[in-house]
């Protein structure tokens, strides 16, 4: 009942206040890790997660309500305004954005907007008319109209040629843009959805957490998660999905059929994070309560563990994995990027 926002950034929670954060309201949020975007229906509060500061930035013309928004990893903000415009701007800039597209006149209102994770020039827009519109923001053209679901959409994820539509009280529909019917309908309830890689993996959080491998052709395969999955990563070629499990194992699955390619035991602690190197030669993994970075060559899955002097934050694993390159000395020397990431 107070205008307070609580932030978690891998450590102790911090509370920040802002006079424009309405008491008792539940703002919608979108985050790229270092910045969060809060939708106040009329304006935006841009939150610097590291500093815990709030900045008010209007995104629609004065007097025009803001209906929905998304924040891309590259800093692009896309908003849907009540005048049926999609406006684009950068997170650092103030004032209304540039009109990127105008929605068809028959659109009643907008529930959600989602920028394609791999292409900020495209967006998926869920409407109150129970449709999902795919829009080219470079030209303003309408690419595709997809039917919604039994209940109105509650979340969207778009990447590559895939769109996942989660429905209130219903299922998750997974579409390929070129298809005339859903690729799959996944049973869940009011879920949040995330597409990883080039759409090679789908994470669904509803009544339970479920992960799916999505092949280039055919239906997705649900990955086993009896011990709980803390993190996923997809190889650059989209062929493999690695999952960090609560039983201390990393299991690598083929997206083509969901079969287990490798089962890699790390130790007695919970596996917390995984990351493939960009060239696909290495897989990095980390555990809670363990000061060891586990490295595996993806050819034969040979282990090359690197001890580090202090407990490693799990976020360091993704940063280290993103910069790993083959090295004949990797078994005894941490790559410089790993050393920087763990300080």
């Amino acid at each position: 009942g107070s205008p307070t926002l609580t932030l978690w950034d891998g450590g102790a929670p911090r509370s920040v206040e802002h006079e424009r954060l309405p008491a008792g309201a539940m703002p919608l949020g979108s985050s790229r890790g270092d910045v969060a975007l809060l939708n106040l229906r009329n304006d935006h509060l841009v939150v610097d997660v590291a500093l815990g500061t709030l900045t008010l930035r209007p995104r629609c013309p004065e007097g025009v309500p803001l209906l929905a928004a998304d924040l891309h990893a590259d800093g692009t903000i896309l908003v849907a305004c009540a005048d049926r415009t999609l406006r684009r701007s950068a997170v650092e800039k103030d004032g209304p954005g540039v009109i990127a597209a105008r929605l068809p006149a028959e659109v009643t209102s907008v529930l959600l907007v989602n920028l394609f994770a791999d292409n900020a020039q495209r967006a998926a827009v869920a409407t109150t008319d129970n449709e999902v519109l795919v829009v080219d923001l470079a030209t303003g053209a309408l690419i595709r109209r997809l039917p919604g679901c039994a209940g109105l959409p509650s979340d969207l994820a778009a990447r590559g040629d895939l769109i996942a539509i989660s429905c209130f009280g219903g299922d998750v529909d997974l579409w390929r843009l070129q298809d005339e019917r859903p690729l799959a309908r996944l049973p869940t309830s009011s879920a949040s959805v995330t597409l990883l890689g080039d759409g090679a993996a789908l994470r669904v959080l509803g009544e339970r957490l479920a992960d799916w491998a999505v092949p280039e052709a055919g239906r997705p395969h649900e990955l086993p998660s009896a011990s709980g999955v803390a993190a996923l990563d997809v190889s650059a070629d989209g062929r493999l999905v690695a999952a960090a499990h609560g039983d201390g194992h990393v299991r690598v699955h083929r997206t083509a059929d969901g079969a287990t390619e490798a089962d890699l035991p790390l130790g007695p602690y919970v596996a917390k994070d995984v990351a493939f190197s960009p060239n696909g030669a290495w897989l990095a993994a980390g555990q809670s309560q363990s000061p060891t970075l586990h490295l595996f060559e993806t050819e034969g899955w040979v282990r090359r563990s690197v001890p580090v002097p202090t407990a490693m934050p799990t976020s360091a694993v993704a940063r280290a994995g993103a910069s790993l390159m083959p090295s004949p000395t990797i078994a005894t020397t941490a790559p410089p990027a790993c050393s920087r990431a763990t300080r």
Side-chain angles (χ1 to χ4, degrees):
S2 66
T4 301
L5 174 71
T6 303
L7 304 174
W8 285 268
D9 188 23
R14 301 184 307 280
S15 294
V16 293
E17 294 190 6
H18 194 284
E19 64 273 13
R20 292 296 299 272
L21 189 62
M26 184 62 71
L28 304 175
S30 180
S31 176
R32 65 176 188 182
D34 58 340
V35 176
L37 187 67
L38 299 179
N39 183 357
L40 300 187
R41 293 292 174 185
N42 295 312
D43 298 297
H44 274 91
L45 289 176
V46 177
V47 183
D48 187 307
V49 176
L51 299 178
T53 58
L54 298 170
T55 306
L56 182 66
R57 295 192 189 278
R59 297 297 172 180
C60 292
E62 186 175 355
V64 178
L66 187 152
L67 303 177
D70 192 28
L71 171 62
H72 196 267
D74 69 359
T76 298
I77 291 177
L78 182 70
V79 300
C81 302
D83 59 1
R84 294 192 180 88
T85 58
L86 297 179
R87 294 175 180 265
R88 185 169 48 184
S89 58
V91 70
E92 297 84 5
K93 294 186 177 180
D94 207 345
V98 176
I99 295 177
R102 294 184 183 275
L103 298 176
E106 64 269 20
V107 171
T108 304
S109 190
V110 172
L111 291 170
L112 303 163
V113 294
N114 184 263
L115 288 160
F116 278 60
D118 59 340
N119 182 3
Q121 297 293 329
R122 279 189 174 186
V125 181
T127 73
T128 55
D129 308 297
N130 206 8
E131 285 187 314
V132 174
L133 311 180
V134 182
V135 180
D136 186 328
L137 300 177
T139 65
L142 180 62
I143 299 173
R144 183 74 199 274
R145 264 188 143 112
L146 299 174
C149 30
L152 290 174
S154 62
D155 197 19
L156 293 173
R159 183 185 285 265
D161 67 343
L162 288 171
I163 294 182
I165 307 172
S166 176
C167 307
F168 279 112
D171 303 320
V172 171
D173 285 345
L174 185 62
W175 287 84
R176 291 196 188 278
L177 289 181
Q178 64 270 26
D179 292 346
E180 295 302 318
R181 60 184 61 191
L183 174 66
R185 177 161 289 172
L186 311 177
T188 182
S189 177
S190 298
S192 66
V193 287
T194 305
L195 285 163
L196 305 173
D198 286 332
L202 172 67
R203 168 154 277 200
V204 177
L205 178 58
E207 294 176 341
R208 63 185 181 90
L209 178 66
D211 298 311
W212 302 75
V214 184
E216 291 185 359
R219 293 178 56 80
H221 313 281
E222 186 170 4
L223 304 179
S225 57
S227 57
V229 177
L232 290 177
D233 197 34
V234 179
S235 60
D237 60 8
R239 193 178 65 85
L240 300 173
V241 179
H245 285 258
D247 60 3
H249 287 236
V250 169
R251 295 180 176 89
V252 183
H253 302 273
R254 297 193 297 265
T255 55
D257 56 9
T260 302
E261 171 93 359
D263 188 342
L264 310 172
L266 305 186
Y269 304 113
V270 172
K272 295 292 288 183
D273 208 356
V274 287
F276 283 98
S277 63
N279 64 359
W282 296 91
L283 177 69
Q287 297 175 274
S288 61
Q289 306 176 54
S290 173
T292 300
L293 175 64
H294 300 275
L295 303 180
F296 297 90
E297 296 180 37
T298 55
E299 183 67 36
W301 302 105
V302 178
R303 184 195 304 265
R304 300 283 189 254
S305 294
V306 177
V308 293
T310 58
M312 182 176 58
T314 56
S315 59
V317 175
R319 293 196 296 270
S323 58
L324 291 177
M325 300 301 287
S327 167
T329 61
I330 199 74
T332 56
T333 305
C338 294
S339 300
R340 288 196 299 272
T342 55
R343 280 205 293 263

